[in-house]
Amino acid sequence: TKNVISVINSADLNSDSNQMLGEYFRNLSLLAPQTTLALMVETMNRSKSFEPSDLDYNWVLNAAFKSDPRQAIEVVQSLLKGTASSDRLISSSIRQWMKYDLNSALQWYSTSDQFGSEIKSYAAFPFFEQAVAGGDLSASKQWYERIDDPVLKRKAEGQVWSMERDIVRREVS
């Protein structure tokens, strides 16, 4: 643990340090998933050069949401303010939560009003993706309307257009 803290406090992490931290977080998440999630996000906020791999990131999120989705989202919410990685964190968190408890994730989204429109966009996007994957054009459009972030909006718009095009093609055939 002393080595990990010294690496975390290092201003300049290299790829070996990133790999070591990722492995540490994966292993720690087996014992204390919520604490690991908080520590990983804090590390991301403190060290601009620490960027966990997708494998490490999703491993820790999965462990935290599998263990206790409500507590995991509380950890995420408490850490979101002021983090440069909040977009990735909120989208990934919602995706993990949806795996274990879709209804609670939907309820959280509909009652959570503490975030600005950018965070709400990133929170809405996984629900949009689920509607698209399920082929539900109506639900996709409803979730699309909740996305304000211009980059996500363009991405979602292309997916809605593709769904509409596919429906027209099926009707014409």
Side-chain angles (χ1 to χ4, degrees), residues 21-34 36-37 40 52-67 88 92 96 99-100:
L21 279 173
E23 187 174 329
Y24 173 77
F25 289 136
R26 282 194 316 270
N27 291 330
L28 183 61
S29 71
L30 297 172
L31 301 172
Q34 311 307 331
T36 306
L37 177 59
M40 184 177 71
S53 70
D54 287 342
L55 171 70
D56 299 333
Y57 198 79
N58 289 326
W59 182 290
V60 171
L61 282 173
N62 186 52
F65 277 88
K66 187 175 185 179
S67 161
R88 179 180 180 196
S92 297
Q96 291 298 329
K99 288 181 188 179
Y100 298 105

Side-chain angles (χ1 to χ4, degrees), residues 22 31-33 56 60 64 77 81 83 85 88 101 114 120 122 124 128 132 136 148 158 165:
L31 301 172
D56 299 333
V60 171
Q77 284 178 277
K81 295 180 180 157
T83 175
S85 61
R88 179 180 180 196
D101 192 351
Q114 67 178 343
K120 283 293 228 184
Y122 283 99
F128 168 80
V132 168
D136 188 337
D148 294 329
R165 180 198 63 219

Side-chain angles (χ1 to χ4, degrees), residues 93-165:
S93 296
I94 295 297
R95 281 185 197 96
Q96 291 298 329
W97 196 0
M98 290 168 63
K99 288 181 188 179
Y100 298 105
D101 192 351
L102 176 60
N103 290 333
S104 290
L106 284 165
Q107 181 183 12
W108 171 84
Y109 180 88
S110 65
T111 59
S112 180
D113 59 359
Q114 67 178 343
F115 300 120
S117 64
E118 181 180 330
I119 295 297
K120 283 293 228 184
S121 289
Y122 283 99
F125 197 72
F127 294 109
F128 168 80
E129 291 174 318
Q130 182 189 40
V132 168
D136 188 337
L137 181 60
S138 176
S140 299
K141 285 182 175 182
Q142 289 174 1
W143 284 108
Y144 168 81
E145 293 302 322
R146 297 175 185 178
I147 299 170
D148 294 329
D149 179 80
V151 173
L152 285 180
K153 191 84 166 176
R154 277 192 300 280
K155 185 175 178 180
E157 187 174 50
Q159 292 178 353
V160 169
W161 286 349
S162 292
M163 288 179 77
E164 290 174 331
R165 180 198 63 219

